[in-house]
Amino acid sequence: MAEIKSINIEPDGISVNLKISESEYALIESPRTDFLLLPSDSNVLEEWLTTGRLGNGNRIMLPNKIMKKYHVEKLHKKVPAKIFEINGGRFLLIKLEENKPGIPVFEEESDE
């Protein structure tokens, strides 16, 4: 995750200095415009979306081939999310997984 090192407010705009990982840099190596800078802290992602199979309600669905491509083994039942409105566009940010070091959490298997 990126970390803001400094912010400079100038008459012609705002400059932000970021510290990012190598994998984040690989994502932005070529393009130089049209970036989104969004917070991903759990306090900001205040909506909870339901994942899973088709049913009676609206659900966040991901095809298996996309899950395999990005090494997402399993979707959690409820995931934090938020819709951001920026420059006339709307963007949905969903946290599918979180790396929490420490005590493992065990869940019961469902018979679905």
Side-chain angles (χ1 to χ4, degrees):
M1 291 289 184
E3 179 183 334
I4 295 177
K5 296 305 245 178
S6 65
I7 299 174
N8 296 321
I9 300 174
E10 302 163 355
D12 62 338
I14 299 172
S15 298
V16 179
N17 183 5
L18 299 172
K19 179 180 179 183
I20 62 173
S21 67
E22 289 182 27
S23 60
E24 288 168 319
Y25 181 72
L27 292 172
I28 61 171
E29 192 170 1
S30 297
R32 298 289 183 221
T33 60
D34 293 333
F35 290 98
L36 289 175
L37 183 61
L38 300 175
S40 62
D41 187 76
S42 296
N43 295 331
V44 175
L45 303 179
E46 55 199 19
E47 307 294 335
W48 287 92
L49 300 179
T50 303
T51 66
R53 302 171 193 253
L54 289 173
N56 294 332
N58 292 327
R59 308 219 179 210
I60 297 300
M61 305 298 293
L62 286 176
N64 286 334
K65 65 181 179 181
I66 291 177
M67 290 178 61
K68 286 178 185 174
K69 180 179 178 181
Y70 292 99
H71 309 289
V72 177
E73 295 190 20
K74 171 183 163 181
L75 290 177
H76 298 282
K77 187 78 170 167
K78 297 279 187 178
V79 290
K82 183 168 183 161
I83 294 177
F84 294 90
E85 294 186 41
I86 301 169
N87 293 338
R90 290 190 182 99
F91 300 87
L92 173 62
L93 177 63
I94 303 170
K95 188 180 284 189
L96 296 175
E97 293 180 346
E98 187 170 15
N99 184 12
K100 290 185 179 179
I103 301 171
V105 177
F106 298 98
E107 298 177 359
E108 289 185 34
E109 290 186 18
S110 63
D111 295 332
E112 290 182 41

